[in-house]
Amino acid sequence: MHVYVLAEHAGSEAGRELSPITGELITAARDLGVVSVVVVGKPGVAEHLAPELARLGAAQVIDASTEDYEERLITPEVDALQALGAANPAPIVIAATVSGNEIAGRLGARLGAGVLANVTGIEANKAGHHEIFGGSYTTTAVAGGETPIFTLRPGSVKAQPQEAAGELASMPLPAKTDRDVTVKGFTPKARADRPELTAASTVVSGGRGVASEEGYSDYVEKLADVLGAATGSTRDIVDLGWAAPETQIGQTGATVSPDLYIALGISGAIQHISGMQTSGTILAVNQERDEPIFAIADIGVVADIEDFVPELIKALENRR
């Protein structure tokens, strides 16, 4: 039995790179069968990415390329996976991103297949796990049919590379039709100097205890820069406008599992904990000793952030 995985990649054509979620997808899909990774993009991208995909565990790399890829929105990925699923039915695993969930929905409608979105794990019997009620419970559901579709929540599975053949195969994509959405222009989002949140080995995160947007900058961002870490936040301070939406961690944000997670002024609501509780070491700093975050912290510091963090930054800078 085999399984299809849709590769996530980004960057300029000359320096196209796999997104970290691709390794997680391959690892999660491995229990379903032999992994065939589908690379949809411009000609040459699949060939460029094939060695890394083989290292991650792709037995086969399927090159589904088209010259007008960047002018077409979502459709090439849906077309490629539909053709594969119709000709040789197998489970399909996609990243649970905004575009990934859109692809899964359209693909499910075309193939008449069951879709399990935002799963945190996949079993060999085609069952998917979901965390509900802020991570308090885990439910298990099975998608029926020959082509069950799963979208995997980024950060929920740790990538475990496993060298495989990575044999390159190609497939034609249907030509663009008048019904396709055509992209007339776009401006790539500028990449931040900090590591990508879901792939970072260290994350410094802030909650209401940082007190203001300036507090988030002075304590969370400055400490992250000293450590070479990514920045995170709770939903509360994103809603207040103190932190950018892409930094949100938790039930309605990203799931992270860094080696070190530093929680500054975070109370520890279950909605946030569900997105970071699998971190290797959790350091919590809060002036209220009864906050729930201390129940899961490996190291707890009861202190005022305004006093503690500047001293920590100074000590780290002196050790450089």
Side-chain angles (χ1 to χ4, degrees):
M1 184 175 177
H2 65 284
V3 53
Y4 300 116
V5 168
L6 179 63
E8 289 276 330
H9 51 87
S12 64
E13 297 311 314
R16 207 74 181 171
E17 295 181 356
L18 289 172
S19 300
I21 181 62
T22 300
E24 300 169 21
L25 295 172
I26 293 171
T27 299
R30 203 171 283 144
D31 285 343
L32 293 171
V34 178
V35 178
S36 294
V37 178
V38 184
V39 180
V40 184
K42 295 190 74 172
V45 172
E47 185 176 1
H48 171 68
L49 298 177
E52 179 65 9
L53 289 169
R55 187 189 71 82
L56 292 171
Q60 182 184 44
V61 177
I62 300 174
D63 179 4
S65 58
T66 176
E67 284 287 355
D68 60 0
Y69 171 72
E70 292 185 346
E71 300 172 12
R72 302 170 65 186
L73 187 64
I74 300 296
T75 311
E77 287 85 354
V78 179
D79 286 344
L81 293 171
Q82 179 192 7
L84 290 166
N88 193 4
I92 299 169
V93 182
I94 304 170
T97 58
V98 173
S99 59
N101 284 329
E102 174 75 11
I103 291 167
R106 295 190 186 195
L107 188 60
R110 289 194 189 183
L111 292 174
V115 178
L116 292 178
N118 293 305
V119 301
T120 56
I122 305 171
E123 295 182 2
N125 64 351
K126 303 177 184 177
H129 300 299
H130 292 95
E131 291 186 356
I132 63 172
F133 299 123
S136 299
Y137 297 92
T138 299
T139 63
T140 301
V142 176
E146 293 183 297
T147 55
I149 301 165
F150 305 87
T151 67
L152 181 73
R153 188 174 181 182
S156 56
V157 173
K158 190 174 182 63
Q160 297 178 348
Q162 189 178 95
E163 193 76 35
E167 295 179 359
L168 197 61
S170 60
M171 65 168 292
L173 281 177
K176 182 169 64 175
T177 70
D178 293 339
R179 293 179 298 173
D180 285 356
V181 174
T182 300
V183 178
K184 296 298 185 181
F186 66 92
T187 302
K189 182 179 178 181
R191 295 192 65 175
D193 294 333
R194 300 187 183 97
E196 185 178 341
L197 179 58
T198 57
S201 59
T202 302
V203 174
V204 181
S205 195
R208 278 183 175 270
V210 301
S212 65
E213 184 175 358
E214 292 73 21
Y216 185 84
S217 174
D218 289 344
Y219 307 129
V220 176
E221 293 183 341
K222 285 186 178 179
L223 180 56
D225 289 341
V226 171
L227 292 171
T231 56
S233 64
T234 62
R235 178 173 179 171
D236 283 351
I237 71 169
V238 168
D239 289 345
L240 288 167
W242 298 353
E246 57 266 26
T247 66
Q248 184 176 321
I249 294 169
Q251 189 176 13
T252 54
T255 298
V256 298
S257 188
D259 296 330
L260 174 62
Y261 187 89
I262 301 177
L264 303 179
I266 294 175
S267 63
I270 189 63
Q271 290 85 355
H272 181 76
I273 288 176
S274 68
M276 45 68 69
Q277 59 189 345
T278 58
S279 301
T281 299
I282 299 172
L283 165 62
V285 183
N286 201 299
Q287 62 182 356
E288 300 295 334
R289 65 176 63 247
D290 296 327
E291 294 289 18
I293 190 70
F294 288 123
I296 66 164
D298 298 288
I299 303 170
V301 179
V302 179
D304 191 320
I305 290 171
E306 294 182 9
D307 298 327
F308 179 80
V309 176
E311 290 299 320
L312 177 59
I313 292 172
K314 188 185 300 183
L316 289 170
E317 289 177 334
N318 289 338
R319 292 185 62 181
R320 285 183 171 181

